Amino acid sequence: MIQLIRGFKDILPNEIELWKHIEQTAITLFESFGFRQIRVPILEKAALFQRSIGEHTDIVEKEMYTFPTEKGELITLRPEATASIVRAYLQQRMYAKDPIQKLYTLGPMFRKERPQKGRYRQFYQINAEVFGIESPYIDAQMIFMLTRFFRQLSITGLEVHLNSLGCPLCRPAFKKALSGMLMEKGDALCSECIRRRDTNPLRVLDCKRPGCQSVVENAPAITDYLCDDCARHFDRVKACLERMGIPYVVSPRLVRGLDYYTRTAFEIQTRELGAQNAVAGGGRYDTLVEALGGPSQPAVGFAVGLDRLVDLALTKTRASELTPDIFIAAMGEAAQEKAFEWSCELGREGIKTEIDFSDRSLKALMKRANRLGAGYVLMVGDQELDRGTAVLRNMRTREQTEIALSGVLGGVKSQLRAASDGRPHGDSQL
Ligand code: HAM
């Protein structure tokens, strides 16, 4: 049998309700904050990611799926969506219509990382990006929106980690101080970090190897090197979060794995997923639009890792959201013909209906209805047809009611409505 590629996975039907619920919650919430959906291709030119994420990052150095076209041009399965959204903002001249654009997108990303729990080679993100606003209010509002999103999904126990990475004016002094320190105390660094302390010393702060971690424990804090404008911007972001009652932790070594960030950088972390603890990450990238050949426009955004979010939410899903409302047990040719019509009608009305059109016994069909967790079973066979009725069984209370064949649809709908009136629902219920 041909198996899945390592690091890739199937998302099976019993999980899909949860995926859809999470995606729909994001769509409704983000749109209420003024974001509009954009869809960008999964394949882009490799140069787009090399120039935006940075040549000396793990992603570009070793994690991209890159192939030559027949003409020899290198193309890449996108490892993230921000670069593509910036490309679209420029190529489609969206900035000319209005430099302020709030965009979101959902879809698969690809990184050739070492697979482990919570880390896949194809994974899914929801991204939100704002172009054209430099104000720290928008940074804080995006973090606020993210925390609302998690609250609506009933996901708790999260921490907001925050840092400022400065700007092209103040960062060079920090880089110099950092690489000086790494030169002096760098014997314990791994070979990759020894190489990177010259090319890209900020990446050393990100290395998870114990030797490197012990060295960077004494590294200077970038927040001590911020210029006045960056310090003011960072203070304002923090003050806005406090004003909205959002707790945060300042993590001066949080640099994120992509080179395009300026000023605000943040991650939403959980203690419940082991090593892969970030469920969302983002920040400001005020120089990227210009670096990719566009006008000078500030930008800020984030991406949520959907796979990790699903892992966190899975235990809290209400089983009833994943189960059929009604199972139709139809025995015999004539009953199946009726049941065929009913199943189509009920499905059209948005009622989750299950029927397998098999010639099995009532006992076998009831067993399957039970296994699927159906709320109701509608039973019909030759006897019922002769009497002109069908039997509707409430699987929870075991109560059975006879319904006239001519009024089956109305009868089923009114019973389901009566049952759901006593059940809690709403957007924060999982
Ligand atoms: P990132 O931190 O690389 O940022 O990814 C964002 C989130 O995607 C992570 O916090 C994590 O939840 C999820 N993620 C990343 N890699 C994997 C993986 N291999 N398996 C499962 N989940 C993963 C970005 O991608 C930036 N583009 C975010 C951004 C948008 N910054 C500004 N705008």
Side-chain angles (χ1 to χ4, degrees), residues 13 36 73 82 92 109 129 141 148 161 177 192 213 258-259 272 294 328 336 345 366 371 420:
R36 293 180 310 151
E73 186 170 36
T82 309
Q92 308 307 334
M109 312 293 152
E129 318 284 350
Q141 193 182 55
R148 282 299 312 154
H161 287 254
E192 213 163 279
Q213 293 261 311
L258 309 100
D259 276 353
E272 288 175 32
I328 307 180
Q336 286 203 3
E345 293 292 342
M366 289 305 279
R371 195 166 34 137
S420 76

Side-chain angles (χ1 to χ4, degrees), residues 14-268:
N14 62 351
E15 268 189 47
I16 286 292
E17 284 302 317
L18 182 56
W19 282 80
K20 285 195 327 209
H21 176 69
I22 293 175
E23 288 165 0
Q24 196 49 54
T25 304
I27 290 173
T28 309
L29 179 71
F30 293 4
E31 289 184 355
S32 73
F33 276 85
F35 287 78
R36 293 180 310 151
Q37 191 173 126
I38 182 169
R39 297 188 189 189
V40 284
I42 285 172
L43 272 174
E44 296 270 8
K45 294 182 178 168
L48 176 67
F49 302 112
Q50 287 158 353
R51 278 174 53 192
S52 53
I53 298 171
E55 294 280 3
H56 302 289
T57 57
D58 281 353
I59 297 179
V60 170
E61 277 182 353
K62 49 192 180 190
E63 293 171 0
M64 297 208 304
Y65 287 92
T66 297
F67 320 88
T69 62
E70 61 281 8
K71 289 193 179 134
E73 186 170 36
L74 292 178
I75 54 174
T76 297
L77 276 172
R78 63 177 182 196
E80 61 122 39
T82 309
S84 307
I85 297 176
V86 174
R87 183 204 42 71
Y89 177 76
L90 297 182
Q91 186 172 353
Q92 308 307 334
R93 295 180 54 79
M94 295 170 84
Y95 61 88
K97 220 183 253 162
D98 184 352
I100 298 178
Q101 296 282 339
K102 297 182 179 178
L103 305 168
Y104 75 90
T105 198
L106 299 87
M109 312 293 152
F110 302 84
R111 294 182 197 174
K112 225 182 295 161
E113 293 189 81
R114 195 168 51 78
Q116 64 179 83
K117 185 176 159 34
R119 189 160 71 194
Y120 309 98
R121 290 183 164 183
Q122 176 176 336
F123 58 98
Y124 294 81
Q125 284 185 345
I126 306 178
N127 278 254
E129 318 284 350
V130 174
F131 294 96
I133 304 182
E134 198 186 356
S135 163
Y137 283 119
I138 197 77
D139 306 42
Q141 193 182 55
M142 292 198 92
I143 297 173
F144 175 74
M145 184 171 88
L146 254 181
T147 58
R148 282 299 312 154
F149 174 55
F150 293 121
R151 170 89 51 94
Q152 288 190 342
L153 296 173
S154 304
I155 292 178
T156 50
L158 299 175
E159 281 176 355
V160 178
H161 287 254
L162 196 64
N163 196 13
S164 174
L165 298 181
C167 67
L169 279 182
C170 53
R171 200 183 306 163
F174 170 71
K175 268 188 169 172
K176 203 166 153 209
L178 178 63
S179 68
M181 176 264 176
L182 294 173
M183 286 295 178
E184 252 174 55
K185 307 214 171 89
D187 296 347
L189 294 178
C190 68
S191 54
E192 213 163 279
C193 286
I194 289 181
R195 182 168 59 81
R196 283 192 182 159
R197 70 183 163 192
D198 299 323
T199 53
N200 199 354
L202 258 64
R203 292 276 71 83
V204 179
L205 296 177
D206 227 11
C207 183
K208 300 288 176 293
R209 291 192 185 88
C212 303
Q213 293 261 311
S214 69
V215 173
V216 302
E217 255 171 37
N218 303 311
I222 191 162
T223 37
D224 292 336
Y225 287 78
L226 299 179
C227 60
D228 288 348
D229 283 349
C230 288
R232 249 197 313 275
H233 195 277
F234 192 39
D235 285 345
R236 199 92 194 102
V237 174
K238 289 186 287 184
C240 291
L241 292 179
E242 279 155 33
R243 188 149 165 202
M244 297 313 291
I246 300 170
Y248 62 86
V249 184
V250 174
S251 301
R253 275 183 274 287
L254 177 78
V255 285
R256 318 248 319 108
L258 309 100
D259 276 353
Y260 49 61
Y261 291 110
T262 52
R263 295 190 170 171
T264 314
F266 61 89
E267 262 178 26
I268 314 287

